[in-house]
Amino acid sequence: MKHVFPTYTRIPIDLVQGKGTVVTAETGQEYLDFTSGIAVCNLGHCPENITNAIQNQLSRIWHTSNLYESALQDHVAELIVGAEDRLVFFCNSGTEANEAALKLARKHTGKEKIITFEKSFHGRTFGSMSATAQAKIHQGFGGLVPGFTYVPFNDIAAFRTAIDENTAAVMLEIIQGEGGVIPANAAWLLEVQQLCRKAGALLIIDEVQTGLGRTGSIYSYQHIGLDPDIFTLAKGLGNGLPIGAMVGKSELSSAFGPGSHGSTFGGNKIALAAAKEVLETIKQPAFLEEVQAKADYFRDILETKCAHLPNVTSIRGEGFLIGIEVGCRADLLVSDLMKQGLLILTAGPNVLRILPPLTVSYAEMNEAADILKTVLENQLIGSEMG
Ligand SMILES: Cc1ncc(COP(=O)(O)O)c(C=O)c1O
């Protein structure tokens, strides 16, 4: 690509069509997409109900300013919050949702200090990049937003030392996705929440990658029984159309009054038409039951076929957010898997990250597990870490 900033290391295929789990490159080559566009196309590529909803909205009106009422925004917000006493701010991406969360937390508490965790990933704008505790993401960009403190993940002693009455908020992922598919410990999370309450700090959960059915429940904090003050969504919310949401308890509303924050495109009607369909689909109890059953099945076959292989150090994650830690370069494995017709991701140098659409079929899971087994068995020579 000659005319685009080289901010990504791009894999040399151009995907021009997709249906369900299958994507087709411009060469005509088909692949099983176990990336879902990085946890975005959770209901597969071009699902009929979402395509129809978008087309229907396209023929009516595309965009109206946030200076006007929007029944569609209110309806989608209601689908997001369910029976809980929460409010939604719509934006266009995960980084923007997190930016809104950080701003709301500071404004509501009147405090500045924000605690985040090593290996976290929260986005690329100055605020969300400053929240991201990874030196490689900060490199070269000069001074970060002041007030962030980074603490080791899953370490309660370190957290206890860090949190104090000056802390505005604590932001975390239930499973660190980009950081290597690292699940938070449930007991640690509950204690973090308790210490937040004691210190008068808000608990912000970044559900951008884990949310919307990806880990088997609508939001992954529900597995643990947490009650975050704020959580953030993006990725799967529009199944590929750009939309993000920051969801906070209603008691925070006075800090986000008129003029406090905004977005021209946030709550765009086309993106919302998609989000409405996504939410109505995943909120059907039978849908999530099936996701959980399929995810359990996939985990079992991965354990059976791959866990014993010499290259495999561990298999971890929850639902359809799965990491396989390997003793060799994960990027080389990804390239070999692609040659066999399977697209998956990495999360750091030695973790394969597997994110199939939640609508994946049993036959597709079997096929993917067989390809993974074959490639993991054969990728020993020439791919050692180094
Ligand atoms: C947990 C988490 N938060 C935030 C982001 C940033 O989202 P976006 O790329 O939509 O800005 C990501 C993206 O990978 C993410 O995984």
Side-chain angles (χ1 to χ4, degrees):
M1 290 168 64
K2 290 198 193 82
H3 307 290
V4 175
F5 274 109
T7 50
Y8 310 97
T9 307
R10 291 184 191 262
I11 291 164
I13 53 171
D14 189 355
L15 304 173
V16 292
Q17 210 161 340
K19 191 72 198 161
T21 311
V22 178
V23 287
T24 311
E26 42 150 22
T27 55
Q29 176 73 47
E30 288 190 347
Y31 300 91
L32 276 181
D33 181 9
F34 273 48
T35 75
S36 304
I38 319 190
V40 169
C41 304
N42 285 358
L43 302 184
H45 292 274
C46 301
E48 210 174 309
N49 60 334
I50 304 185
T51 306
N52 289 342
I54 294 168
Q55 279 171 348
N56 185 19
Q57 188 62 48
L58 269 174
S59 66
R60 293 164 67 202
I61 191 165
W62 300 4
H63 170 83
T64 60
S65 158
N66 277 313
L67 299 175
Y68 299 101
E69 292 279 329
S70 170
L72 185 55
Q73 277 190 21
D74 219 31
H75 182 67
V76 173
E78 193 183 350
L79 288 169
I80 289 173
V81 304
E84 297 195 345
D85 190 15
R86 295 180 185 273
L87 297 170
V88 176
F89 173 82
F90 286 111
C91 51
N92 313 286
S93 66
T95 201
E96 284 177 57
N98 286 336
E99 202 70 35
L102 297 168
K103 286 180 74 176
L104 177 58
R106 281 192 169 177
K107 193 141 186 266
H108 173 77
T109 61
K111 300 189 273 188
E112 201 169 293
K113 176 171 167 179
I114 291 166
I115 298 176
T116 62
F117 297 92
E118 288 171 8
K119 293 200 169 173
S120 57
F121 185 80
H122 299 297
R124 300 282 192 166
T125 52
F126 265 101
S128 61
M129 172 176 74
S130 302
T132 295
Q134 294 194 50
K136 67 172 195 230
I137 304 240
H138 303 159
Q139 213 172 7
F141 292 112
L144 300 177
V145 175
F148 285 87
T149 297
Y150 307 135
V151 173
F153 198 52
N154 279 332
D155 180 339
I156 200 63
F159 182 71
R160 237 189 248 121
T161 309
I163 191 163
D164 56 26
E165 70 283 359
N166 298 319
T167 310
V170 173
M171 179 182 259
L172 57 85
E173 298 151 89
I174 302 286
I175 300 174
Q176 292 186 326
E178 304 296 315
V181 191
I182 305 165
N185 178 300
W188 177 79
L189 283 168
L190 288 166
E191 200 163 343
V192 165
Q193 175 170 274
Q194 201 177 34
L195 291 167
C196 282
R197 300 275 138 83
K198 212 163 134 198
L202 301 185
L203 177 61
I204 305 172
I205 298 194
D206 178 339
E207 290 271 6
V208 167
Q209 188 156 161
T210 51
L212 300 162
R214 174 62 46 197
T215 67
S217 53
I218 296 187
Y219 308 123
S220 66
Y221 72 77
Q222 293 170 326
H223 285 304
I224 322 284
L226 293 170
D227 179 28
D229 299 287
I230 299 174
F231 64 92
T232 54
L233 301 172
K235 287 192 181 285
L237 186 55
N239 207 64
L241 290 203
I243 179 168
M246 185 276 291
V247 188
K249 288 188 172 167
S250 300
E251 69 208 40
L252 306 176
S253 75
S254 62
F256 254 23
S260 55
H261 193 54
S263 161
T264 295
F265 291 125
N268 166 272
K269 286 189 189 321
I270 308 293
L272 279 172
K276 177 173 172 291
E277 280 304 312
V278 167
L279 288 158
E280 282 173 355
T281 305
I282 65 167
K283 288 190 84 170
Q284 290 164 21
F287 179 83
L288 281 184
E289 270 165 34
E290 199 185 333
V291 169
Q292 195 56 66
K294 285 194 295 194
D296 289 346
Y297 174 83
F298 191 47
R299 185 62 172 263
D300 278 354
I301 55 173
L302 282 182
E303 296 279 353
T304 309
K305 289 180 196 277
C306 302
H308 64 282
L309 298 175
N311 246 345
V312 174
T313 316
S314 78
I315 302 179
R316 55 184 185 243
E318 185 84 43
F320 277 130
L321 171 43
I322 302 163
I324 303 184
E325 188 169 333
V326 290
C328 57
R329 276 180 50 185
D331 60 336
L332 297 181
L333 289 171
V334 164
S335 164
D336 283 1
L337 289 161
M338 189 179 81
K339 287 180 199 142
Q340 302 298 317
L342 178 64
L343 303 183
I344 64 163
L345 300 157
T346 60
N350 63 336
V351 178
L352 296 174
R353 186 170 30 148
I354 309 175
L355 301 162
L358 310 181
T359 50
V360 66
S361 72
Y362 284 91
E364 288 163 345
M365 289 191 282
N366 289 335
E367 194 182 337
D370 284 340
I371 296 173
L372 273 159
K373 178 175 186 286
T374 307
V375 168
L376 282 163
E377 267 172 350
N378 292 312
Q379 242 299 349
L380 276 171
I381 301 151
S383 66
E384 282 81 12
M385 302 283 289

